[in-house]
Amino acid sequence: MSKFSFDDTETSGIWWSTNVSIRDLCVELKVDTSCSDSEIVELLRSIAKSIEVNGL
C-alpha cells in the first residue's frame, strides 16, 4: 500500500474519497464500540487478508 499517499495535497479522486470514507467509518465504529485504534487496525488487516486470500 506504500504506493498510495493519502496526503490531500497530492491525492485526489476515488483513492482520496475512499480513504476519507473508510476513516469516517472507522471513527464511527470506534465511537459506537469504544474499541481501541489497535483493534480497528487489527480488523482492517483481517479484512485485507481475507481479500488477499478470497478476492472480492
Side-chain angles (χ1 to χ4, degrees):
M1 199 69 177
S2 61
K3 69 180 180 176
F4 298 107
S5 171
F6 294 115
D7 176 349
D8 65 352
T9 63
E10 298 177 15
T11 308
S12 63
I14 190 70
W15 297 113
W16 176 248
S17 63
T18 300
N19 176 54
V20 170
S21 296
I22 291 169
R23 288 183 58 89
D24 287 348
L25 289 170
C26 287
V27 168
E28 190 175 326
L29 177 65
K30 185 175 182 176
V31 168
D32 289 350
T33 64
S34 299
C35 62
S36 67
D37 288 354
S38 63
E39 289 172 307
I40 293 172
V41 169
E42 185 178 340
L43 170 66
L44 294 172
R45 286 187 177 134
S46 174
I47 293 167
K49 183 63 177 175
S50 176
I51 292 170
E52 286 177 348
V53 170
N54 302 306
L56 288 174

